[in-house]
Amino acid sequence: MNDEPERRYHDDNGSTWLGTGPSPVDLAEMALVEAELDKRWPETKIEPSLARIAALMDLLGSPQQNYPSIHIAGTNGKTSVTRMIDALLTALHRRTGRITSPHLQLATERISIDNHPITPAAYVETYRELQPYIELIDRQSAEADGPAMSKFEVLTAMGFAAFAEAPVDVAIVETGLGGTWDATNVVDGQVAVITPIGLDHTDFLGNDLATIAGEKAGIIKRASESLVPRDTVAVIAQQEPEAMDVLLRRAVEVDAAVAREGAEFRVLARRIAVGGQQIELQGLGGVYDEIFLPLHGEHQARNAALALAAVEAFFGAGASRQLDIEAVRAGFANVASPGRMERMRSAPTIFIDAAHNPAGARALAATLTSEFDFRKLVGVVGVLADKDAAGILEALEPVFDEIVVTDNGSPRAMDVDSLANLAVQRFGDERVVTAETLPDAVETAIAIAEEVGEAGEMVSGAGVVVTGSVVTAGAARALFGKDPI
């Protein structure tokens, strides 16, 4: 399924090889590092403590304090907002470092400099340089009857160290899970961004929106003392009232300024365009019009408004200080958010989307309904076992004519039979097909989409959407031969 031509690459030793990515040697060395990291606590397991990551940062000379940061938390849209902020800052001539999680295809995606993932060789080098210090913290923690550093803590430290080495002008840091006890919360973001909050990771964050919002609100902090006085600014997306109340109380508690979607900034207008949408935004510094955003969906327009306000807040923009409109347009035009309604091929049209909870699935369904006119739409769905699969399926049922349920290959994946049983409850027997592997599921969905009708003709305007998990979207992206970005 890879339609890309082979390209010639060179490594640091002068060797060459044909392919569409890093050298086999670099990937093999990275695989060894990943195997070591996978022995640590997974990202789905957290302890309410920043002691280990803070101790490691102290040993390393606090690299995360070498540059200002914009910190992003929330339930949905975090990665898209993080990438938009990165694109805008790059267009405004700032050298950026970006931390996102989880990755779609390759762990290097988690640490980006200048809007590009670091290379596998740099990933390995950074880890090996930090390894003695990491092992020291492991031993100190074990002596105190504590756990070793988690994989996410190590990856976070690698990102901060790589940014200091670059060096970058600003770091854009997406939380992994929650906020207060997330390993990224050793940064003091002068701008704290909160995307829409919903019910997700309830085993760790709480069973209601207010409790979850309290965890996310932990990234909103009192401004640290410095020679140049500044305020912390909390830039907050529209929220349910119980979540917004918690966030605003936190902002008051730490004396942070607040910018809210729907009040200080908003989407003024949007219309569907080829390859995305044309939007007009009310920012903190005025109106920004004629913006092309190469992403689909109203939720992405709102993410754009949030990202713009965050960048304005970073530069101190206000009613009399608007950002350069041409730079803003250029930044948004260059945004890429892989795995978010991303087109893989045509005839039939195939999209992938990383929706992994009911809110994300509802946004996907709304986009498919409002921006596309498929006469027949087949879903390929693989979900992780700890997610609300029933809620995801309920949101997708109105837009999919048929559904192929599958295993996305993750050890955490919900088994096919269990997912199929949930799907039958929503779709009925005749609309549900099973496939043991994702490649089989995609091939099955294509065959269903291309089935001839009663008149003996293929249904025109058919499409396939692969969704249900970040893992599913990433595996599908690799299946279609797309390079990590």
Side-chain angles (χ1 to χ4, degrees):
M1 296 182 182
N2 186 352
D3 296 326
E4 293 190 22
E6 287 194 319
R7 301 191 293 272
R8 187 173 297 275
Y9 288 80
H10 305 267
D11 63 19
D12 293 337
N13 297 319
S15 301
T16 62
W17 69 97
L18 290 177
T20 57
S23 78
V25 172
D26 287 346
L27 289 175
E29 291 180 353
M30 182 176 168
L32 290 175
V33 169
E34 285 294 282
E36 292 180 33
L37 291 174
D38 285 340
K39 296 176 183 177
R40 296 178 175 273
W41 270 11
E43 293 170 87
T44 53
K45 186 175 182 179
I46 61 172
E47 183 196 36
S49 170
L50 295 177
R52 292 175 302 282
I53 184 68
L56 178 59
M57 290 296 99
D58 286 344
L59 278 179
L60 298 176
S62 300
Q64 81 283 9
Q65 294 179 6
N66 287 6
Y67 37 78
S69 297
I70 298 175
H71 206 179
I72 301 97
T75 303
N76 288 295
K78 287 186 299 179
T79 299
S80 292
V81 169
T82 301
R83 283 178 169 271
M84 289 179 188
I85 292 172
D86 195 350
L88 288 172
L89 287 170
T90 299
L92 289 161
H93 310 294
R94 296 301 187 273
R95 190 174 198 201
T96 60
R98 182 182 75 224
I99 289 178
T100 54
S101 66
H103 61 275
L104 279 171
Q105 296 168 259
L106 200 62
T108 52
E109 299 167 35
R110 294 167 177 259
I111 304 170
S112 292
I113 296 174
D114 292 330
N115 246 305
H116 295 287
I118 63 173
T119 65
Y123 185 93
V124 171
E125 181 182 4
T126 302
Y127 172 71
R128 295 301 182 197
E129 287 179 352
L130 269 58
Q131 189 175 5
Y133 304 99
I134 294 166
E135 292 173 350
L136 176 59
I137 299 300
D138 287 344
R139 290 194 295 271
Q140 292 177 348
S141 183
E143 290 169 358
D145 295 323
M149 296 192 74
S150 70
K151 179 177 181 178
F152 185 74
E153 287 174 327
V154 173
L155 291 174
T156 299
M158 288 169 59
F160 292 148
F163 297 163
E165 179 70 19
V168 302
D169 298 321
V170 55
I172 310 104
V173 181
E174 176 188 349
T175 57
L177 187 63
T180 300
W181 304 116
D182 189 79
T184 63
N185 208 26
V186 291
V187 300
D188 293 321
Q190 66 184 64
V191 180
V193 182
I194 308 293
T195 71
I197 294 172
L199 295 175
D200 202 4
H201 300 296
T202 53
D203 290 348
F204 298 101
L205 303 181
N207 293 314
D208 59 83
L209 287 180
T211 304
I212 294 173
E215 288 297 316
K216 309 286 187 183
I219 72 165
I220 306 172
K221 302 176 183 177
R222 190 178 303 276
S224 57
E225 295 184 6
S226 62
L227 294 177
V228 180
R230 64 169 180 81
D231 292 329
T232 298
V233 183
V235 182
I236 305 175
Q238 282 191 347
Q239 308 285 347
E240 294 296 329
E242 57 267 44
M244 182 63 85
D245 180 67
V246 172
L247 297 172
L248 294 179
R249 288 178 182 274
R250 171 67 178 181
V252 170
E253 178 185 334
V254 300
D255 198 27
V258 174
R260 299 156 296 169
E261 181 187 2
E264 286 75 26
F265 65 93
R266 69 184 72 205
V267 178
L268 294 176
R270 62 179 291 267
R271 62 179 177 81
I272 299 169
V274 176
Q277 54 189 306
Q278 200 78 16
I279 58 176
E280 181 178 348
L281 303 177
Q282 172 65 59
L284 306 181
V287 174
Y288 299 79
D289 60 2
E290 297 182 13
I291 294 170
F292 174 69
L293 182 67
L295 302 173
H296 297 283
E298 179 186 2
H299 62 293
Q300 293 289 20
R302 295 173 65 179
N303 286 340
L306 189 64
L308 174 64
V311 174
E312 288 184 298
F314 178 78
F315 285 111
S320 60
R321 189 181 176 192
Q322 188 174 17
L323 299 179
D324 179 77
I325 183 66
E326 293 301 329
V328 169
R329 289 169 180 159
F332 277 124
N334 287 322
V335 167
S337 194
R340 278 72 183 175
M341 271 304 288
E342 184 182 15
R343 187 189 295 265
M344 294 290 100
R345 59 169 271 189
S346 301
T349 299
I350 299 179
F351 283 101
I352 62 171
D353 191 87
H356 59 277
N357 55 36
R362 287 192 292 271
L364 170 59
T367 300
L368 290 168
T369 300
S370 64
E371 300 191 16
F372 299 91
D373 187 25
F374 290 110
R375 295 190 181 184
K376 184 177 185 180
L377 192 58
V378 183
V380 174
V381 178
V383 181
L384 299 184
D386 60 346
K387 296 296 184 178
D388 183 2
I392 293 171
L393 292 167
E394 181 180 11
L396 296 175
E397 188 276 329
V399 296
F400 288 155
D401 296 286
E402 295 186 51
I403 185 174
V404 183
V405 299
T406 190
D407 184 322
N408 58 29
S410 168
R412 296 168 52 208
M414 178 175 288
D415 68 89
V416 175
D417 289 341
S418 297
L419 186 55
N421 288 335
L422 290 173
V424 167
Q425 294 175 28
R426 297 292 176 185
F427 287 77
D429 282 316
E430 295 183 354
R431 296 169 62 198
V432 178
V433 179
T434 63
E436 291 301 316
T437 67
L438 184 61
D440 288 343
V442 172
E443 294 293 347
T444 300
I446 291 172
I448 294 172
E450 292 180 337
E451 283 178 353
V452 297
E454 295 180 1
E457 296 181 353
M458 187 182 299
V459 176
S460 62
V464 173
V465 177
V466 185
T467 189
S469 170
V470 175
V471 176
T472 305
R477 206 170 188 276
L479 186 65
F480 285 95
K482 301 296 183 180
D483 290 334
I485 58 174

